[in-house]
Amino acid sequence: YPQAPIECDMFMKLPHGIVTKHGDAKDHVLKLVNNLYGQKQAGRVWNHYLVMHLLKIGFIQSKIDECVFYRNMVIFIVYVDDGIFAAIVDSDIDEAIKDLTNAGLDLEDQGSPADYIGVNINRINKNTFELTQPALARAIVADVGIGPRTPSKPVPASPTKMLHPFLESPPFDEHFSYRSVVGKLNYIAQCTKPELMYSVHSCARFSSNPRQEHGEALEYIAKYLKDHVDDGIQLTPVRNQGFHVYCDADFAGNWNRQYAMTDPATAKSRSGWIISYANCPIVWASKLQTQVALSTTEAEYIALSQSLRDTIPLMELVNELHSFGFEVWEDAPQVHCKAFEDNSGALELAKIPKMRPLTKHINVCYHHFREAARQGKITFVHEPIETQRATTSPSPYRRMRLCDNAL
């Protein structure tokens, strides 16, 4: 942030304990000469400064994602004040770094992206890669206090207990940091262990006021993780497969009469989906829907809509990559997506543009993908519940299929 110049005259108090030859904080202030982290506009000022230099040395900013830049066969991805270069030839990256340095930016080369994101990227064979996070998994197990003699669990969540606020239960005793463990679990679930998504999201909902049962649920996850620290996700690209989306929903799966008066979320359904490209899962999610669905069809349709909100921009990004000369693994004339859904009502609603009295209210929020379907960019396919990879069945054993079948 301090590399960018200050946007306007700004002053700050002298830090506590700092005294200059002119005086102390009682009668003197400091004038900022450069951008400083912590200002409200600091992020915007830094981003403008960085983008200006990237454009100056020949990078082109993506129209789909403003954090992606192209130059010849080099891709640069920005995340706040960090970035990742990707290219076919290492010398192209070296040249880009040199040009940015010569333009006046102070860069620090931290090596492989695996070191930066904390994920081990191992090549098993010519076509298969494995992503694992053993160090983070062991840290989570140690943080929770699970020892080598502690019995492990076969699944990451109890098949008989669903989490609710449990306001009548005693508060969590904080024998480990609840929020810290949830944060670490959330990262590992999003990167290499999608089978944890449901259980981690359920615990994360109660981070502001955890109770004894919520702490036990985190311990349950850690006991499962204890025997799976070295496991991860394997990616085997298949050239003739474009985007595939598997989505599912449970209709009011959290319903509990006891907590319905104090926890409105008991009436909400849960969406789950997996987005894969070239047979490799790239996005997965398990989250409560933001509004109460009035039927199974509506719950399934909302899940379909949510998953395609993630998919359509990815399709546009791949098309953009192709336009810049990058190889796209898609045999069809255009990037295409197949959406797999097991509810016939949701499929009919997606394919046939007509409204009924019980479904016309859905039109406002969840029909955004119909234009892509009309243009033939998305095909909807019925997927039997027995092979639905993104199942959100109330049983955690069924939820494990998110890992067992899809990945």
Side-chain angles (χ1 to χ4, degrees):
Y1 279 24
Q3 295 188 50
I6 199 71
E7 188 178 41
C8 57
D9 287 344
M10 298 187 70
F11 302 87
M12 62 175 287
K13 292 181 179 179
L14 279 168
H16 181 72
I18 299 297
V19 179
T20 72
K21 63 180 181 180
H22 303 289
D24 54 22
K26 294 181 179 180
D27 49 13
H28 282 78
V29 294
L30 297 177
K31 181 178 180 180
L32 297 181
V33 295
N34 276 70
N35 192 40
L36 185 65
Y37 184 87
Q39 302 173 89
K40 290 184 178 180
Q41 74 273 30
R44 174 177 55 80
V45 172
W46 157 246
N47 181 260
H48 176 75
Y49 183 75
L50 175 62
V51 171
M52 178 183 66
H53 281 76
L54 288 169
L55 298 179
K56 187 182 297 184
I57 64 171
F59 276 93
I60 300 174
Q61 190 172 23
S62 168
K63 295 181 180 179
I64 309 302
D65 189 330
E66 294 183 354
C67 294
V68 178
F69 297 82
Y70 309 98
R71 191 179 80 165
N72 299 327
M73 298 305 292
V74 178
I75 301 174
F76 181 56
I77 304 169
V78 179
Y79 184 77
V80 189
D81 56 352
D82 295 312
I84 293 178
F85 286 96
I88 300 174
V89 182
D90 286 342
S91 59
D92 291 342
I93 296 178
D94 295 335
E95 184 180 352
I97 293 176
K98 180 180 178 181
D99 290 345
L100 275 176
T101 303
N102 292 337
L105 288 176
D106 184 12
L107 304 182
E108 180 183 348
D109 186 356
Q110 297 184 346
S112 168
D115 301 327
Y116 169 67
I117 62 177
V119 176
N120 293 342
I121 305 175
N122 302 315
R123 189 163 196 159
I124 297 178
N125 53 50
K126 182 179 179 181
N127 298 319
T128 302
F129 298 84
E130 183 181 48
L131 310 182
T132 60
Q133 293 172 285
L136 181 57
R138 291 190 181 93
I140 294 170
V141 173
D143 288 349
V144 177
I146 304 300
R149 296 185 180 182
T150 305
S152 60
K153 298 293 183 181
V155 291
S158 170
T160 59
K161 181 182 290 186
M162 190 167 291
L163 292 185
H164 294 286
F166 297 114
L167 297 178
E168 73 286 353
S169 298
F172 177 59
D173 60 11
E174 293 292 341
H175 63 277
F176 61 83
S177 175
Y178 189 95
R179 290 191 179 189
S180 174
V181 170
V182 165
K184 293 177 181 179
L185 282 170
N186 188 51
Y187 186 65
I188 201 172
Q190 290 180 344
C191 292
T192 59
K193 292 188 178 294
E195 76 272 21
L196 299 181
M197 286 300 297
Y198 167 79
S199 51
V200 173
H201 180 267
S202 298
C203 293
R205 292 177 53 216
F206 306 102
S207 295
S208 62
N209 187 19
R211 299 289 168 159
Q212 179 178 324
E213 290 83 355
H214 305 138
E216 293 171 354
L218 281 185
E219 292 177 351
Y220 203 107
I221 299 174
K223 290 176 181 178
Y224 163 80
L225 202 56
K226 171 177 170 284
D227 285 351
H228 298 84
V229 293
D230 295 316
D231 297 341
I233 182 173
Q234 291 188 0
L235 307 177
T236 304
V238 177
R239 181 175 291 273
N240 62 351
Q241 288 193 18
F243 283 96
H244 283 183
V245 180
Y246 289 85
C247 66
D248 196 13
D250 65 343
F251 175 51
N254 281 345
W255 173 255
N256 184 295
R257 184 183 299 273
Q258 179 181 355
Y259 299 102
M261 296 300 294
T262 57
D263 183 15
T266 59
K268 293 182 179 180
S269 305
R270 177 173 290 274
S271 297
W273 64 86
I274 305 170
I275 302 172
S276 67
Y277 177 70
N279 195 46
C280 297
I282 54 176
V283 177
W284 49 82
S286 173
K287 58 180 66 177
L288 288 179
Q289 296 178 358
T290 56
Q291 66 184 61
V292 176
L294 304 181
S295 66
T296 300
T297 294
E298 183 176 350
E300 297 277 359
Y301 195 77
I302 290 174
L304 187 62
S305 175
Q306 288 177 314
S307 65
L308 291 176
R309 289 181 192 179
D310 283 347
T311 309
I312 293 174
L314 289 173
M315 293 170 64
E316 295 174 348
L317 186 61
V318 170
N319 273 323
E320 186 179 66
L321 282 167
H322 182 62
S323 70
F324 278 97
F326 292 91
E327 183 180 6
V328 174
W329 280 21
E330 175 66 64
D331 287 346
Q334 62 178 3
V335 176
H336 187 76
C337 170
K338 287 184 179 180
F340 296 87
E341 170 60 53
D342 57 31
N343 183 272
S344 57
L347 280 173
E348 184 180 2
L349 198 59
K351 293 178 179 179
I352 305 173
K354 60 182 180 180
M355 291 292 100
R356 299 168 177 80
L358 295 179
T359 59
K360 61 183 180 181
H361 64 285
I362 303 176
N363 180 68
V364 177
C365 299
Y366 296 106
H367 285 331
H368 63 92
F369 58 84
R370 274 192 170 171
E371 181 62 20
R374 186 187 66 79
Q375 295 175 359
K377 295 180 180 179
I378 299 174
T379 301
F380 299 98
V381 181
H382 181 266
E383 182 74 8
I385 185 62
E386 292 79 14
T387 56
Q388 174 57 275
R389 298 180 178 182
T391 181
T392 55
S393 166
S395 168
Y397 288 97
R398 293 288 302 282
R399 294 188 190 102
M400 280 292 291
R401 289 171 50 197
L402 181 64
C403 176
D404 297 338
N405 289 352
L407 310 181

